[in-house]
């Protein structure tokens, strides 16, 4: 039931974090205005206790916003803040509270200039959530936020009171934010190694991570954070005891070919260290590597899906039974065999051809393919692996940078692959 005394609210960026907050608000009786880049009829959040459907639609045109709202939850990635400015201009008034659900310690400096007169409240987000191929979101742990002890925080507390999202208030918010930043900074090593949490169990990588965390701790203390000597060891310990296949958002972005939040997670340690006179020799190496990794993301894309079907069932559906769910694709799991897809587009028959380059049954299939007008081929790799009681399918495609219209081709493939993978999962589950 709606509470007429509750503020009007908008969620900018209905991704994994934004969907979680939107669902909590909807359960509270405040259905937020949803705005983003992709139109959708609504949002859906899955938790251990069930599912929540948040009615939409997700708006994509700022001209459709009739008036400013009382509270804005800004849930876009830090790399998308500038793009969100067009929404903030129409959603915010001088009295609006903007709660920034982003990584880093510089939310007020980054968002404040975009919302003159409004009050910016930074938040530390402590919960993991992942987007599924159907656009819904799965919450992996209890939702929890930490906010600074400032007057505007009470507005956010009031909105989320009694919901599944806990709001904590920290008198020393700077220290809390830096502690989370240390965790985020170390996670950048997953991008550089292409590995998940299990990589921190290596003695050499663990040693590097610990030295990096201690360097970041020195910068944090110089910046006014009150953190104990054992915080780096605690952070490393959490990575080492986490499931070996547990990832992190920056690794997910890297695998999906998205821009990386390297600056707000890692670059800030180097920048603050330089400004405060704290040497950062490890950051001086790690930050340029992460920046370079972010530069070439447009060359590739990656899509991952999970299922209860076995790896063997997935392999059979991908190879022996594929004609039943992807009849336009010719592909035999034999190295060197022809790969060919045909389809009709704008009334014309089109095709892409190539050959199989790798077969490692039942866990990997790779091939190259190209359309007749492309100067080079794209490389596709499909990996199947078991993780606990579920199987994970990861598709990676690269080579878009070598195409004259690579950005457009990549966008089309990024939209199309989830459809094919959903059909694969359905076939494997029969």
């Amino acid at each position: 039931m709606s509470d007429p005394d509750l503020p009007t609210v908008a969620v900018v960026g209905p991704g994994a974090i934004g969907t979680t907050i939107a669902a909590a608000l909807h359960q509270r009786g405040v259905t937020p205005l949803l705005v983003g880049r992709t139109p959708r009829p609504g949002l859906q959040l899955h938790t251990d206790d069930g599912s929540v459907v948040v009615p939409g639609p997700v708006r994509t045109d700022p001209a459709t916003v009739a008036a400013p709202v009382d509270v804005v939850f800004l849930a876009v990635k830090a790399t998308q803040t500038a793009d969100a400015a067009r929404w903030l201009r129409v959603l915010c008034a001088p009295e609006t509270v903007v709660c920034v659900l982003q990584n880093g310690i510089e939310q007020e400096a980054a968002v404040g200039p975009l919302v003159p007169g409004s009050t910016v409240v930074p938040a530390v987000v402590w919960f993991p959530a992942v987007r599924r191929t159907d656009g819904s979101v799965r919450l992996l742990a209890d939702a929890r936020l930490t906010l600074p002890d400032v007057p505007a925080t009470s507005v956010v507390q009031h909105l989320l009171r009694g919901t599944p999202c806990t709001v904590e208030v920290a008198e020393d918010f700077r220290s809390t934010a830096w502690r989370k930043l240390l965790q985020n900074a170390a996670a950048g090593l997953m991008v550089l190694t292409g590995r998940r949490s299990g990589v921190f169990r290596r003695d050499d990588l663990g040693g590097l991570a610990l030295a990096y965390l201690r360097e970041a701790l020195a910068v944090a203390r110089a910046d006014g954070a009150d953190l104990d000597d054992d915080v780096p060891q605690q952070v490393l310990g959490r990575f080492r005891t986490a499931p070996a296949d547990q990832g992190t958002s920056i690794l997910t972005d890297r695998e999906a070919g998205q821009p990386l939040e390297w600056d707000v997670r890692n670059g800030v340690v180097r920048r603050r260290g330089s400004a405060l006179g704290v040497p950062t020799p490890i950051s001086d190496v790690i930050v340029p590597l992460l920046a370079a990794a972010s530069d070439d993301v447009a060359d590739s894309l990656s899509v991952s899906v999970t299922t209860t079907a076995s790896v063997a069932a997935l392999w059979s559906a991908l190879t022996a039974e594929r004609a039943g769910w992807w009849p336009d694709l010719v592909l035999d799991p034999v190295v060197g065999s022809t790969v060919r897809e045909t389809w009709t587009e704008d009334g014309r028959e089109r095709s892409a051809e190539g050959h199989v380059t790798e077969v490692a049954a039942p866990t990997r299939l790779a091939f190259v393919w190209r359309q007749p007008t492309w100067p080079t081929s794209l490389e596709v790799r499909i990996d199947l692996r078991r993780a606990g009681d579920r199987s994970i399918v990861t598709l990676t495609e690269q080579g878009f940078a070598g195409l004259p219209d690579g950005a457009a081709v990549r966008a089309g493939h990024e939209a199309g692959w989830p459809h094919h993978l959903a059909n694969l999962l359905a076939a494997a589950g029969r």
Side-chain angles (χ1 to χ4, degrees):
M1 180 177 295
S2 179
D3 183 343
D5 294 329
L6 291 174
T8 56
V9 185
V11 173
V12 180
I17 301 302
T19 294
T20 302
I21 296 301
L25 292 167
H26 182 60
Q27 290 175 290
R28 176 75 159 96
V30 180
T31 301
L33 178 71
L34 306 173
V35 303
R37 295 181 296 178
T38 304
R40 280 184 282 163
L43 309 176
Q44 187 170 26
L45 178 73
H46 303 287
T47 71
D48 290 341
D49 297 324
S51 299
V52 180
V53 176
V54 184
V58 176
R59 305 188 186 204
T60 58
D61 183 359
T64 62
V65 176
V69 296
D70 300 315
V71 179
V72 172
F73 286 92
L74 181 62
V76 300
K77 293 291 184 71
T79 53
Q80 300 166 342
T81 299
D83 292 338
R86 62 195 184 105
W87 287 107
L88 296 174
R89 283 193 293 269
V90 298
L91 290 169
C92 296
E95 300 80 16
T96 300
V97 173
V98 182
C99 184
V100 184
L101 307 172
Q102 292 180 339
N103 288 315
I105 58 172
E106 301 171 309
Q107 296 97 325
E108 291 175 275
V111 178
L114 305 179
V115 290
S118 299
T119 302
V120 176
V121 178
V124 175
V125 178
W126 294 107
F127 57 89
V130 295
R131 185 193 291 274
R132 292 177 165 179
T133 54
D134 62 0
S136 67
V137 171
R138 171 69 184 180
L139 182 62
L140 302 177
D142 291 340
R144 180 167 65 95
L145 303 175
T146 300
L147 306 182
D149 188 8
V150 296
T153 287
S154 62
V155 178
V156 180
Q157 280 185 298
H158 179 55
L159 269 172
L160 294 173
R161 184 172 295 124
T163 74
C165 182
T166 301
V167 178
E168 301 170 348
V169 179
E171 293 185 4
D172 185 4
F173 182 77
R174 180 185 297 271
S175 297
T176 302
W178 264 106
R179 185 186 182 96
K180 175 65 182 295
L181 182 65
L182 262 65
Q183 175 181 314
N184 283 341
L189 295 174
M190 293 194 212
V191 171
L192 298 182
T193 60
R195 299 275 304 281
R196 297 175 183 270
S197 289
V199 74
F200 289 97
R201 299 176 189 176
R202 291 178 57 97
D203 290 339
D204 50 4
L205 198 286
L208 172 61
L210 189 59
Y212 183 34
L213 285 163
R214 287 171 174 161
E215 176 179 291
L217 175 64
V219 176
R221 286 173 166 172
D223 199 43
D226 183 12
L227 298 174
D228 294 336
D229 291 342
D230 61 351
V231 168
Q233 190 65 59
Q234 292 172 7
V235 172
L236 177 60
R238 280 194 293 274
F239 280 120
R240 284 181 157 174
T241 57
D245 64 341
Q246 180 173 296
T248 180
S249 62
I250 193 169
L251 177 61
T252 299
D253 287 341
R254 178 64 175 125
E255 291 175 340
Q258 300 295 326
L260 307 181
E261 291 185 310
W262 63 269
D263 189 50
V264 300
R265 298 170 62 122
N266 301 87
V268 62
V269 176
R270 189 186 192 197
R271 284 187 281 104
R272 290 289 176 96
S274 177
L276 296 167
V278 179
T280 56
I282 300 176
S283 294
D284 291 344
V285 175
I286 287 177
V287 170
L289 291 175
L290 286 171
S294 187
D295 281 347
D296 73 350
V297 293
D299 186 54
S300 65
L301 66 81
S302 179
V303 182
S304 294
V305 294
T306 62
T307 177
T308 56
S310 67
V311 168
L314 286 164
W315 181 260
S316 179
L318 177 63
T319 56
E321 305 162 22
R322 189 198 58 264
W325 57 272
W326 195 352
D328 296 332
L329 179 68
V330 173
L331 186 156
D332 290 322
V334 177
V335 173
S337 64
T338 298
V339 175
R340 178 180 173 86
E341 183 191 18
T342 57
W343 69 98
T344 300
E345 183 179 330
D346 298 329
R348 298 172 56 193
E349 184 175 289
R350 298 181 182 273
S351 66
E353 295 187 17
H355 62 274
V356 175
T357 58
E358 182 179 2
V359 178
T363 59
R364 175 172 291 180
L365 176 66
F367 59 88
V368 294
W369 61 354
R370 58 180 289 189
Q371 293 187 33
T373 58
W374 292 353
T376 186
S377 297
L378 297 179
E379 302 172 15
V380 179
R381 190 181 75 215
I382 303 172
D383 290 300
L384 313 177
R385 64 186 177 92
R386 195 70 179 173
D389 61 349
R390 302 187 70 83
S391 296
I392 301 175
V393 182
T394 301
L395 180 143
T396 305
E397 188 172 26
Q398 63 182 20
F400 296 102
L403 306 181
D405 55 347
V409 174
R410 183 183 179 281
H413 286 208
E414 189 172 33
W417 279 120
H419 167 75
H420 293 306
L421 293 181
N423 288 341
L424 168 64
L425 265 56
R430 293 192 184 111

